[in-house]
Amino acid sequence: MLLNAQASGVYTIAATPFHPDGRLDVESIDRMTDFYLQCGVTGMTILGIMGEALKLEPEESLTVVNRVVKRAGKVPVVVGVSAPGFAAMRALSRASMDAGAAGVMIAPVPSLRTDDQIVTYFAQAVEAVGDDIPWVLQDYPLTLSVVMTPKVIRQIVQNHASCVMLKHEDWPGLEKISAVRGFQKDGSMRPISILCGNGGLFLDFEMERGADGAMTGYAFPDMLVDVVNLQKTGKRDEAHDLFDAHLPLVRYEQQQGVGLATRKYVLQKRGAIASDAQRKPGNALTPAAKAEVDYLLSRLARHDPRAQL
Amino acid sequence: MLLNAQASGVYTIAATPFHPDGRLDVESIDRMTDFYLQCGVTGMTILGIMGEALKLEPEESLTVVNRVVKRAGKVPVVVGVSAPGFAAMRALSRASMDAGAAGVMIAPVPSLRTDDQIVTYFAQAVEAVGDDIPWVLQDYPLTLSVVMTPKVIRQIVQNHASCVMLKHEDWPGLEKISAVRGFQKDGSMRPISILCGNGGLFLDFEMERGADGAMTGYAFPDMLVDVVNLQKTGKRDEAHDLFDAHLPLVRYEQQQGVGLATRKYVLQKRGAIASDAQRKPGNALTPAAKAEVDYLLSRLARHDPRAQL
Amino acid sequence: MLLNAQASGVYTIAATPFHPDGRLDVESIDRMTDFYLQCGVTGMTILGIMGEALKLEPEESLTVVNRVVKRAGKVPVVVGVSAPGFAAMRALSRASMDAGAAGVMIAPVPSLRTDDQIVTYFAQAVEAVGDDIPWVLQDYPLTLSVVMTPKVIRQIVQNHASCVMLKHEDWPGLEKISAVRGFQKDGSMRPISILCGNGGLFLDFEMERGADGAMTGYAFPDMLVDVVNLQKTGKRDEAHDLFDAHLPLVRYEQQQGVGLATRKYVLQKRGAIASDAQRKPGNALTPAAKAEVDYLLSRLARHDPRAQL
Amino acid sequence: MLLNAQASGVYTIAATPFHPDGRLDVESIDRMTDFYLQCGVTGMTILGIMGEALKLEPEESLTVVNRVVKRAGKVPVVVGVSAPGFAAMRALSRASMDAGAAGVMIAPVPSLRTDDQIVTYFAQAVEAVGDDIPWVLQDYPLTLSVVMTPKVIRQIVQNHASCVMLKHEDWPGLEKISAVRGFQKDGSMRPISILCGNGGLFLDFEMERGADGAMTGYAFPDMLVDVVNLQKTGKRDEAHDLFDAHLPLVRYEQQQGVGLATRKYVLQKRGAIASDAQRKPGNALTPAAKAEVDYLLSRLARHDPRAQL
């Protein structure tokens, strides 16, 4: 059950649950996985930037992979394997696939600058992990400071049959989706799946530009699922109504640094994880911030009963 | 009528109007100034990053300053004077004050890294422009890649009596407002005005954290004025209701690059400027983007009749 | 007498002389120009990054241009016109050419990332200054953080007939010279002049890779002239012998920040300028650094009598 | 035999030898270690940036550590443990110390900006690896884009008794050595060892400014040893004579990217390693570059017979 270019829907970026003392909370992994499945996600992505992956020992990473894959059953699991060196990328990729993952996700290293450097980097990455592993190309310039033009994305896709999905989180990015889909229409690029990140901040219009869904970690994946489905069934106004009701919180959660703390705080409130603790070094919400999130939830609950916590 | 540390309300970041052929549209400067005043702004900021200042010849810059200052009358005008060199900064500052500006705004050059470098830079800037000119400290790491801690801001404020305002657009930044206000409370920093930028994306909570208002260029400055006033009079829920209705458009307009095109497009629709043209090199909205903005306006109009355009 | 693609030899990057109180030292401009001509340079480049151009008022910049052009007579003068905005670039370019400059030099703005962004930027620059002005493409990633591949350089050269020279200061850069010259050999790029910067640190081998000379500001331009001539006449060992004798000082002078202070200190010692003062904000050599430079000069003087100061 | 603040002399940055097919060349590890010891180094540093550490699987890293530590005997071995996450840093640190390493070296992650962020980062690093492990603070802004002022270095040293050495490779950096030594003199900082990197490009003067020696990987560590000893015994001119003879090659080797290829090429010629191969992705010298290095060696051999290869 490997990831392929027809993937669509919502792949939630999963948090990694910890106990307040910093130990990995293995029980919460199951609970959280169940929560995501009940939200209707079509896939899960683990060990991403928001998954505190860098704080995990290699064995812990494999524990997370194994536990999530097993619990998720038929729901495909993508593993973030970005690393400063190809040795670590290769090791985690092979181990993840052996454990039953559906594919891996690879981001460029921040030092890349020219078009050729970017294209070459992904060629080296594919050589390192092996061309039999389906992978997601992560395009996230805001954090990674690497800018890929649509033409560079096309070249990578054409170079590597194993690249089956674009995780789109350029910013701004709506025209980029149109450009990439335009390449498919004019026959210069084979079709791929496009799932959008950036906390979902533009999901309403991203779907209208041709995205297949979302890959992000907003604490209401069920809203993302609904918006994707409403858009796919042509219920545009309804999609925007629901999206707009969530937008104040989506925006709050999308702040770098504070975002993960907000996300875990809401996930805990929703019962998905036992504690909102981050492993050190991490950020905790201040009392003022918690009160702001609570206020946003209470306002949201007027439109979406799932926010009554 | 110089800018001082008691400034509050909304200082709109003004666009610079051009004819479709690229010439400065001097008539629209008056029209736009009138529009902003009718929106209830308490001040105007011109020649900022969003004002296409770098595309203006020095004489054109002075034309804009003179025209806006004259038309704005008693409404204070702040002039953006950030420049890679102190000679240009000094020249524009002195000329602007001679023309009747209320103060200037200075951003750090992107190459600054250490705390000492930042503090020293502003000391050199004050020496260059003269310590008799009130100025606004612009804190905008997302675009400028210079990160100022609250302690560094405090040191700059304490070093320079002429620094009367912080243009706050760190991201995330709510805790930063609380930290700076905390310095005032514990007596370690004299009071200054804090006006918030970032397109207004967090204005709802920024006011609650102690900001005095907004300094940003959202195409509905009247909404910003209303939110600031509602918050100041304790009408929290009403403030959020109005803000949330605008948030989908605020978010759309806050995209870098696309943002200015969106802003000018809406300002033209509202009759504030004759043309949404940018001087070359500039971005124009694609038909798809225009349709998205129109859709957002139509949705907004259900809550705010000012959006019926 | 316009700059063209056959330019070769040494174009010295000229300092800008100031009085100790910060005023422009106009008399020293003449003296310095005479000094450079006596060193045998084939051209001069003024208002470059090392020329403290950003500290000059616009009228002062024109004073420098006029004075140098007049004094240099038949020796061509290139004017650095890089600027964050095209308005300033255009204004200085036109004024410089009116004053008799042979061409201008343009560096990319530091925010450029993708190949397309770089190519587009120079197209906009050429449109701004006019395609009748010969210009030098400055490739200086160490300071500007913009990386141009040989292919991008080729595209810019092919797009713009007015681009007649590459100021090469990529680092490392020897293979880049070979690559660009390879494009000329395979017919995919028209011939251009390549002059090398980076303080001259690799001039010995750059000449062997196909460079036409140097464009840098080392305080012994006469050494650069000799090395270029020795290499052109096949006296490889002699070229290296002379170069190696200077290398300890070349290296010392190539330090960022300290470099200009060192250069002016030596130029003053050689009688080229009256004072080594930099306009504020500037760096002065510490007594320890001065002693180090003096020691290097005394050691150099054993091999090159021109260093007996 | 732990690293302490009295360390001095030359700690060579060791290469990691590979077979042409990419396998770790374990035999060459011994040969290379013997070579370094014969050169007179007082210590070795392994798995640094130039040691291709990111290309090694975790078990391979431990193989290198174990093999070098065992072969080096009483010569202390420092292990580079810089990593994007603290989990990996901790794991390699503990394993290295268990294997007999003398200490570890830690560089900041490139995203750090403010003084507080840098100080906090090293506090977190020390908490992660344990405050019983002696460590070297690596200050390398050219590659890491993190700028530490002397005051920040002092604060880190004062915060952590386990920080026993500064690997100094700021650029320019001579004044920084003087500033840090000045803190010791005025009693505001406890004494630490300062070893200098940057390929040795300024070692001649670094010693005179108060450095204790070098920590760099130039392919003639025996020259570095000689220069350090000559400077320590007051033979200044002799030190500079020897240094200057090597400077053309030192400079060539210090080019980023090309540098490691040059270093391995010379180490192979000197018999220290069996092959100059880099594990993929790596750079190989072009024939033109090899000829340049050979020419530099032949010129050097006139002054230093060790270069007759």
Side-chain angles (χ1 to χ4, degrees):
Chain A
M1 202 183 56
L2 296 176
L3 195 68
N4 64 38
Q6 284 74 49
S8 70
V10 174
Y11 278 62
T12 192
I13 300 277
T16 301
F18 294 100
H19 289 289
D21 62 6
R23 284 176 302 121
L24 193 62
D25 179 356
V26 182
E27 290 73 31
S28 279
I29 294 179
D30 287 350
R31 205 209 293 194
M32 179 187 72
T33 304
D34 294 346
F35 167 81
Y36 286 137
L37 300 192
Q38 286 154 16
C39 287
V41 303
T42 45
M44 288 178 65
T45 302
I46 59 177
L47 304 183
I49 295 174
M50 288 300 264
E52 301 177 65
L54 292 173
K55 303 174 189 169
L56 298 179
E57 305 277 350
E59 321 83 69
E60 291 177 318
S61 296
L62 287 181
T63 299
V64 172
V65 173
N66 279 300
R67 195 95 185 191
V68 170
V69 166
K70 193 173 173 189
R71 191 77 174 192
K74 294 186 179 172
V75 169
V77 176
V78 174
V79 180
V81 298
S82 304
F86 291 120
M89 184 188 294
R90 174 185 167 79
L92 183 55
S93 296
R94 306 306 310 185
S96 296
M97 298 308 289
D98 289 347
V104 302
M105 182 161 70
I106 306 176
V109 288
S111 58
L112 302 174
R113 282 292 167 271
T114 71
D115 290 4
D116 283 352
Q117 285 173 349
I118 298 168
V119 169
T120 300
Y121 180 79
F122 284 101
Q124 293 167 336
V126 169
E127 186 179 353
V129 304
D131 60 10
D132 56 327
I133 297 184
W135 61 283
V136 180
L137 172 61
Q138 187 174 16
D139 179 21
Y140 194 14
L142 186 62
T143 289
L144 301 169
S145 80
V146 176
V147 183
M148 302 187 216
T149 61
K151 283 191 291 185
V152 162
I153 291 170
R154 177 174 60 186
Q155 180 152 8
I156 294 168
V157 169
Q158 294 302 91
N159 287 354
H160 306 290
S162 56
C163 178
V164 295
M165 185 187 289
L166 174 67
K167 182 178 184 198
H168 166 278
E169 40 193 339
D170 198 351
W171 185 75
L174 294 173
E175 299 302 335
K176 198 169 199 173
I177 298 174
S178 296
V180 173
R181 287 302 186 217
F183 290 151
Q184 296 183 202
K185 276 184 203 129
D186 70 20
S188 65
M189 194 187 91
R190 66 178 169 79
I192 57 165
S193 170
I194 301 180
L195 300 188
C196 297
N198 258 330
L201 197 64
F202 290 92
L203 182 61
D204 48 348
F205 289 114
E206 287 163 343
M207 291 305 299
E208 301 177 14
R209 292 293 186 117
D212 294 302
M215 183 186 279
T216 193
Y218 180 53
F220 288 86
D222 22 6
M223 180 279 278
L224 303 174
V225 169
D226 291 347
V227 166
V228 167
N229 288 335
L230 287 167
Q231 286 283 17
K232 284 184 176 171
T233 52
K235 297 178 180 164
R236 187 191 196 191
D237 290 342
E238 283 177 62
H240 280 274
D241 287 344
L242 177 60
F243 180 84
D244 287 356
H246 279 265
L247 185 54
L249 182 58
V250 166
R251 162 213 56 166
Y252 199 96
E253 200 191 278
Q254 205 240 1
Q255 299 174 83
Q256 298 206 346
V258 182
L260 178 59
T262 305
R263 186 171 293 176
K264 283 194 147 182
Y265 178 71
V266 177
L267 285 174
Q268 182 188 21
K269 286 211 159 202
R270 296 193 74 187
I273 55 179
S275 162
D276 66 349
Q278 295 178 37
R279 181 173 279 186
K280 287 191 292 185
N283 292 304
L285 292 184
T286 62
K290 284 187 183 178
E292 288 164 349
V293 175
D294 289 343
Y295 180 65
L296 287 172
L297 287 169
S298 72
R299 289 177 58 80
L300 173 57
R302 298 177 310 175
H303 301 279
D304 189 334
R306 292 173 290 202
Q308 278 164 354
L309 302 173
Chain B
M1 202 183 54
L2 295 176
L3 195 68
N4 64 38
Q6 284 74 49
S8 71
V10 173
Y11 278 61
T12 192
I13 300 276
T16 300
F18 294 100
H19 289 290
D21 61 7
R23 284 176 303 121
L24 193 62
D25 179 357
V26 182
E27 290 73 32
S28 278
I29 294 179
D30 287 352
R31 205 210 292 196
M32 180 187 73
T33 304
D34 295 346
F35 167 81
Y36 285 138
L37 299 192
Q38 285 155 16
C39 286
V41 303
T42 45
M44 289 178 64
T45 301
I46 58 177
L47 304 183
I49 295 175
M50 288 299 265
E52 302 177 66
L54 292 174
K55 303 174 191 170
L56 299 178
E57 305 277 349
E59 321 84 69
E60 291 177 318
S61 296
L62 287 180
T63 298
V64 173
V65 173
N66 278 300
R67 194 96 185 190
V68 170
V69 165
K70 193 173 174 189
R71 191 78 175 191
K74 293 186 178 172
V75 168
V77 176
V78 174
V79 180
V81 298
S82 304
F86 290 121
M89 185 189 294
R90 174 186 167 81
L92 183 56
S93 296
R94 304 308 309 186
S96 297
M97 298 309 288
D98 289 346
V104 302
M105 182 161 71
I106 307 175
V109 288
S111 58
L112 302 174
R113 283 292 169 269
T114 72
D115 290 5
D116 283 352
Q117 286 173 347
I118 298 168
V119 169
T120 299
Y121 179 81
F122 284 103
Q124 294 167 336
V126 169
E127 187 179 352
V129 304
D131 61 9
D132 56 326
I133 296 184
W135 60 284
V136 181
L137 173 60
Q138 186 174 16
D139 179 21
Y140 194 14
L142 186 63
T143 289
L144 300 168
S145 80
V146 175
V147 183
M148 302 188 217
T149 62
K151 282 191 291 184
V152 162
I153 292 170
R154 177 173 61 186
Q155 181 152 8
I156 294 167
V157 170
Q158 295 301 91
N159 286 355
H160 306 291
S162 57
C163 178
V164 297
M165 185 188 287
L166 174 66
K167 183 179 184 198
H168 166 277
E169 39 194 340
D170 198 351
W171 184 74
L174 294 173
E175 300 301 336
K176 199 170 199 171
I177 298 174
S178 297
V180 172
R181 287 302 187 216
F183 289 151
Q184 295 183 202
K185 276 183 203 131
D186 70 21
S188 64
M189 195 187 89
R190 66 179 169 78
I192 57 164
S193 170
I194 301 180
L195 300 188
C196 297
N198 258 331
L201 198 65
F202 290 91
L203 183 60
D204 49 347
F205 288 116
E206 287 163 343
M207 291 305 297
E208 301 177 14
R209 293 292 186 116
D212 295 301
M215 183 185 279
T216 193
Y218 179 54
F220 287 86
D222 25 3
M223 180 280 277
L224 303 174
V225 170
D226 290 348
V227 166
V228 167
N229 288 335
L230 287 168
Q231 286 283 17
K232 283 185 176 172
T233 53
K235 295 176 180 165
R236 186 190 196 192
D237 290 342
E238 284 178 61
H240 280 274
D241 287 344
L242 178 60
F243 180 85
D244 287 357
H246 279 264
L247 185 53
L249 181 58
V250 167
R251 162 212 57 164
Y252 199 96
E253 199 191 278
Q254 205 240 0
Q255 300 174 81
Q256 297 205 347
V258 182
L260 177 59
T262 305
R263 186 171 292 176
K264 283 193 149 183
Y265 177 73
V266 177
L267 286 174
Q268 182 189 19
K269 285 212 158 200
R270 297 193 72 188
I273 53 179
S275 163
D276 66 349
Q278 295 179 35
R279 181 172 278 186
K280 287 191 293 185
N283 292 304
L285 292 184
T286 61
K290 284 187 183 177
E292 288 164 349
V293 175
D294 290 342
Y295 180 66
L296 287 171
L297 287 169
S298 71
R299 289 179 57 81
L300 174 56
R302 299 177 311 176
H303 301 279
D304 189 335
R306 293 173 291 201
Q308 278 164 353
L309 302 173
Chain C
M1 200 183 56
L2 297 175
L3 194 69
N4 62 38
Q6 283 74 47
S8 70
V10 174
Y11 278 61
T12 190
I13 299 277
T16 301
F18 294 100
H19 290 289
D21 62 6
R23 282 176 304 121
L24 193 62
D25 179 358
V26 182
E27 289 72 32
S28 278
I29 293 179
D30 287 350
R31 204 208 295 194
M32 179 187 72
T33 303
D34 294 345
F35 167 81
Y36 286 138
L37 299 191
Q38 285 154 17
C39 286
V41 302
T42 45
M44 288 178 64
T45 301
I46 58 177
L47 304 183
I49 295 175
M50 289 300 265
E52 302 177 67
L54 292 174
K55 303 174 190 170
L56 298 178
E57 305 277 349
E59 321 83 68
E60 291 177 317
S61 296
L62 287 180
T63 298
V64 173
V65 174
N66 279 299
R67 195 95 185 190
V68 171
V69 166
K70 194 173 173 187
R71 192 77 173 192
K74 293 186 179 171
V75 169
V77 176
V78 175
V79 180
V81 298
S82 304
F86 291 120
M89 185 188 294
R90 174 185 167 81
L92 184 56
S93 297
R94 304 306 313 184
S96 296
M97 298 308 289
D98 288 347
V104 300
M105 181 161 69
I106 307 176
V109 287
S111 57
L112 302 175
R113 283 292 168 270
T114 70
D115 290 5
D116 283 352
Q117 286 174 349
I118 298 167
V119 170
T120 299
Y121 179 81
F122 284 102
Q124 294 167 337
V126 170
E127 187 179 353
V129 305
D131 59 10
D132 56 325
I133 298 184
W135 60 283
V136 181
L137 172 61
Q138 186 173 16
D139 180 20
Y140 194 12
L142 187 62
T143 290
L144 300 169
S145 79
V146 176
V147 183
M148 300 187 218
T149 62
K151 282 191 292 183
V152 162
I153 292 170
R154 176 174 62 185
Q155 179 150 11
I156 294 167
V157 170
Q158 295 301 90
N159 287 354
H160 306 290
S162 56
C163 178
V164 296
M165 185 188 289
L166 174 68
K167 182 178 185 200
H168 166 277
E169 41 194 338
D170 198 352
W171 185 76
L174 294 173
E175 299 301 337
K176 199 170 199 171
I177 297 173
S178 296
V180 173
R181 287 300 188 218
F183 290 150
Q184 295 182 201
K185 275 183 205 134
D186 70 21
S188 64
M189 196 187 89
R190 65 180 169 79
I192 57 166
S193 170
I194 300 180
L195 301 188
C196 298
N198 258 330
L201 197 64
F202 290 92
L203 182 61
D204 48 348
F205 290 114
E206 286 163 343
M207 291 305 297
E208 302 176 14
R209 292 293 187 117
D212 296 300
M215 183 185 280
T216 193
Y218 179 54
F220 287 86
D222 24 5
M223 179 281 275
L224 302 174
V225 169
D226 291 347
V227 167
V228 168
N229 288 336
L230 287 167
Q231 286 282 16
K232 283 184 177 174
T233 52
K235 297 176 179 164
R236 185 190 198 192
D237 290 342
E238 284 178 62
H240 280 273
D241 286 344
L242 177 60
F243 180 84
D244 287 357
H246 279 264
L247 185 54
L249 181 58
V250 167
R251 161 213 58 165
Y252 198 96
E253 199 190 279
Q254 204 240 3
Q255 301 174 82
Q256 297 207 344
V258 182
L260 178 60
T262 305
R263 185 171 295 176
K264 283 193 147 183
Y265 178 73
V266 178
L267 286 174
Q268 182 189 19
K269 286 210 159 202
R270 299 192 72 187
I273 53 179
S275 163
D276 66 348
Q278 296 179 35
R279 180 172 279 185
K280 285 191 293 185
N283 292 305
L285 291 185
T286 62
K290 284 186 184 178
E292 288 163 349
V293 175
D294 289 342
Y295 180 65
L296 288 171
L297 287 168
S298 72
R299 289 177 57 82
L300 173 57
R302 301 176 308 175
H303 301 279
D304 188 335
R306 292 172 291 201
Q308 279 164 353
L309 302 174
Chain D
M1 201 184 58
L2 295 176
L3 194 68
N4 63 37
Q6 284 74 48
S8 70
V10 174
Y11 279 60
T12 191
I13 300 277
T16 301
F18 294 99
H19 290 289
D21 62 6
R23 282 175 304 120
L24 193 63
D25 178 356
V26 182
E27 290 72 32
S28 279
I29 294 178
D30 286 352
R31 203 210 294 196
M32 178 186 73
T33 303
D34 294 346
F35 167 81
Y36 286 138
L37 299 191
Q38 285 154 16
C39 286
V41 303
T42 46
M44 289 177 65
T45 301
I46 58 176
L47 303 184
I49 295 174
M50 289 300 264
E52 302 178 65
L54 292 174
K55 303 175 191 170
L56 298 178
E57 305 276 349
E59 321 81 70
E60 291 177 318
S61 295
L62 287 180
T63 299
V64 173
V65 173
N66 278 300
R67 195 95 184 190
V68 170
V69 165
K70 193 173 173 189
R71 191 77 173 191
K74 292 186 179 173
V75 169
V77 176
V78 175
V79 180
V81 297
S82 304
F86 291 120
M89 185 188 295
R90 174 186 167 80
L92 183 57
S93 296
R94 305 306 310 186
S96 297
M97 298 308 289
D98 288 347
V104 300
M105 181 161 69
I106 306 177
V109 287
S111 58
L112 302 175
R113 283 293 168 268
T114 72
D115 290 4
D116 283 352
Q117 285 173 349
I118 298 167
V119 170
T120 300
Y121 179 80
F122 284 102
Q124 293 167 337
V126 170
E127 187 179 352
V129 304
D131 60 9
D132 56 325
I133 298 184
W135 61 283
V136 181
L137 173 60
Q138 187 175 15
D139 180 20
Y140 194 13
L142 187 63
T143 289
L144 299 169
S145 80
V146 175
V147 183
M148 301 187 218
T149 62
K151 283 192 291 185
V152 162
I153 291 170
R154 176 174 62 185
Q155 181 151 9
I156 294 168
V157 169
Q158 295 301 91
N159 286 355
H160 305 290
S162 56
C163 178
V164 297
M165 184 188 290
L166 174 66
K167 181 178 185 200
H168 166 278
E169 40 194 340
D170 198 352
W171 185 74
L174 294 173
E175 299 301 337
K176 199 169 200 173
I177 298 174
S178 297
V180 173
R181 287 300 188 219
F183 289 151
Q184 296 182 202
K185 276 182 204 133
D186 71 21
S188 65
M189 196 188 88
R190 65 179 169 79
I192 55 166
S193 170
I194 300 180
L195 301 188
C196 297
N198 257 332
L201 197 65
F202 291 91
L203 182 61
D204 48 348
F205 289 114
E206 286 163 344
M207 291 306 296
E208 301 177 14
R209 294 291 187 117
D212 296 300
M215 182 185 281
T216 193
Y218 179 54
F220 287 85
D222 25 4
M223 180 279 277
L224 303 174
V225 169
D226 291 347
V227 167
V228 167
N229 288 336
L230 288 167
Q231 286 282 17
K232 283 185 177 173
T233 53
K235 296 177 179 165
R236 185 190 197 192
D237 290 341
E238 284 178 62
H240 281 273
D241 288 344
L242 177 60
F243 180 85
D244 288 356
H246 280 264
L247 186 53
L249 181 58
V250 167
R251 162 213 57 164
Y252 199 95
E253 199 190 279
Q254 205 240 1
Q255 300 174 82
Q256 298 207 345
V258 182
L260 178 59
T262 305
R263 187 171 293 176
K264 284 193 148 184
Y265 177 72
V266 177
L267 286 175
Q268 181 188 18
K269 286 211 159 203
R270 299 193 71 188
I273 54 179
S275 162
D276 66 349
Q278 296 179 36
R279 180 172 279 186
K280 286 191 294 186
N283 292 304
L285 291 184
T286 61
K290 283 187 184 177
E292 288 163 349
V293 175
D294 289 343
Y295 180 65
L296 287 171
L297 287 169
S298 72
R299 288 177 57 81
L300 172 57
R302 300 177 308 175
H303 301 279
D304 188 335
R306 293 174 289 202
Q308 279 163 352
L309 302 174

